[in-house]
Amino acid sequence: MVDFEGLEQADVAAALVTGPTHRLTRHTTRFRTLIPFWRPGQEAGIALAGPDLRPLLRALDLAGSDRPAPLITVPQPSPCGPPEQVLCAVSCTAVDPAEGDAARSVLLLAIPVRSEASGAAARQHVTADRVEDLARYEALLSAVPQVVWRMTAQGETFTLVGRLGETGGGLWNPAGPGFSWMDAVHPKDHDAFAAQWAATARGDALLDAVVRIRQEGEPARYRHMRIVTVPVLRDGAVAEWIGTVADAEDQWRVRTRDRLLERVSAVSSTHNLPRVFATTAAAVVPDLTDALAIFQLRYPDEADAGTGALYATRVRTALADGVAPLGPIDDDFALGALSRETIDSRRTQMITFPPGQPPEGLVSDASAAWMARAQATSIALIPIVIDGRTAALAAASSCLGNPPPAEIELGLLEEILRSVEEPLRRTLELQSIRKTALVLQRSFLITPPRIRGGELAAVYHPASTTAEIGGDWYDAIRLPDGALALSIGDVAGHDLQAATEMTKASSMLRALAYTADTDGPARTLSRLDQVTHGVSTAALITAMHAVLRPTTGHRWQVTLSNAGHPPPLLIPATGHPQHLNDAATPDLPLCVTPSAVRHEGQFDLHDGDTLLLYTDGLVERRGTDISESMAQLAHRAAALRSSDRSLSALLKDLLPPTGEAIDDIAVIAFRADRTRYPMA
């Protein structure tokens, strides 16, 4: 349906004809002035007589086909002399019939082509400009499913085809002094859209953009609309604009959804909880929200039971440019009443409020203070539910005075968070398994006993990643004859089974070592190998077993056997530390073959010397050769060696910096020192 009230103001003559004979049914004042001899109700074949008007008749018959706009000569009455001939560009576009009229309708547009310039080239240039203006009207008016509008240079807007209320609930069309059509654009889209508009006015580009526009009757509500527009220029200046607007909410949702899901797809196989949360938060800011903080509940079972205070750890945050940073919080951060409501209902809760003025009592004091600084206008709490239990909360806020998220944006945010629930479930499950395994491991990692004649220390350092569970262990026991037995090992694998097999192997080695009597370390490891083949399901175990016996002359005699383990490091009181490759040549690991031949090596420890046994996590580094890492360990041990430094302090200083360990690390060391720790 064509809006002739809007066309009445346009710089074009317009008329509507219906039926096979093209009967004139409606026209604008400009049309009446341009073609005064065609009266309403008259058929085109009668009104458009003469050879000069035949191209127009043909254009009416071919309306809707792909053809150029014809030029016709229209006679104009003159009070003094013969009629004046006016050259016009015309177009004919098939449109929907008027209400109650089933006949075919055609919209006829005409623009006079006049030129004061002399010369054929100048006239041809002006004519081409006018035909181009007409083509713009024709192309845009033919898009019936859209709203076609016209805007004057002063910003007054008219609809030409359709009605602003027919699309998206109605577009907000501000009127009166102090209002601009740009006020209808969402604040987040305003600057980019204004820049595109200015570029189009300069003739640099066609404006074709999807932006959020206020809705009629609900100016606080926005909807995604696709706007296409071009300016109509007169003498190099914009005389008016003509454009279309169409609903793009579904189009925006599909495109944005696909783009954001692609961003978070990288976490589908990760087992790193902070990475899952970090990737998710970064994906949705600033597209769907200005700020997102993800909190992992510290005591989810108690939270779901609805008892006691709610505590959480803020895992990751993401903020749009210009948003005030979040302040530090305690590891156990107390959540507010809105969080309780979200957990109890397992449904998203959103509240809106004036910029920087959240309601009292619904959020924590720390959150309220940040919302005031960030000029937040809303907060939405979205539960992340894993296996029917709320495991985390995502808190999304609109900031900087921006409007709260629309329903479609909030729904898309929920969908993105749901898309990572499966990797989250796996990660949390592994986290729980790891916690269980660490408890199991540490229950078998004994406190080193006090030893006469020397100092004993040990340390266990879990890997940086929460996805892995090692099978590392160390042990130290006093044997019945007064000797000291040290052992260290690593079960292949990074799961709960590896931790379980570690407990079996370490317990059996302890029992075998204590009852070894005169058997040496090689025989003890051979017996352990035979037993593990019968009672263990471990695929591979590396281990080192050493027996240290005090001798005369402030010395300890060390006998050891190596089952595929990294060589120990000897840190002498003086001189450079060295790895004992010769004295501890590795044999086959355990669980390969029970009949493997095992060997022993011997050397002496003097007062001040330190023997360091470790698992491979201490010398494994990404991108670094293992031999280079072992050399670096020896160099660092030399730099840290000091008689004033306790053995425990030395071991802690030898550990890699936080975040660099790629595997669990177990270390046990013995320092001979009969002066400080006499034998009797």
Side-chain angles (χ1 to χ4, degrees), residues 115 117-127:
S115 175
S118 61
R123 175 177 288 274
Q124 183 178 4
H125 174 71
V126 174
T127 300

Side-chain angles (χ1 to χ4, degrees), residues 588-612:
L588 287 175
L590 306 178
C591 303
V592 175
T593 172
S595 59
V597 178
R598 305 205 172 274
H599 304 84
E600 293 179 347
Q602 281 190 345
F603 59 93
D604 290 337
L605 283 182
H606 300 271
D607 270 5
D609 293 349
T610 300
L611 176 65
L612 184 76

Side-chain angles (χ1 to χ4, degrees), residues 5-156:
E5 292 181 8
L7 281 171
E8 192 69 50
Q9 305 297 322
D11 186 25
V12 62
L16 189 69
V17 300
T18 58
T21 59
H22 310 306
R23 179 172 52 84
L24 180 63
T25 57
R26 294 195 66 181
H27 61 75
T28 62
T29 302
R30 287 181 184 271
F31 185 87
R32 182 67 175 168
T33 302
L34 184 63
I35 309 178
F37 48 83
W38 193 354
R39 299 187 301 276
Q42 194 174 32
E43 296 176 354
I46 297 174
L48 306 179
D52 290 339
L53 298 176
R54 285 176 185 167
L56 178 52
L57 281 172
R58 179 167 176 79
L60 288 169
D61 290 334
L62 298 177
S65 62
D66 185 14
R67 78 279 177 254
L71 294 175
I72 64 171
T73 301
V74 179
Q76 298 286 299
S78 175
C80 351
E84 179 185 356
Q85 301 295 317
V86 178
L87 185 65
C88 295
V90 299
S91 77
C92 299
T93 305
V95 297
D96 287 339
E99 188 175 350
D101 191 349
R104 178 175 182 266
S105 297
V106 175
L107 177 64
L108 171 61
L109 302 177
I111 293 181
V113 178
R114 295 188 178 91
S115 175
E116 302 301 330
S118 61
R123 175 177 288 274
Q124 183 178 4
H125 174 71
V126 174
T127 300
D129 285 346
R130 299 297 278 167
V131 171
E132 183 179 351
D133 287 344
L134 184 66
R136 288 171 174 168
Y137 274 94
E138 178 185 1
L140 292 167
L141 287 170
S142 64
V144 177
Q146 308 175 54
V147 174
V148 183
W149 51 266
R150 168 184 169 269
M151 180 185 293
T152 67
Q154 293 73 37
E156 191 175 5

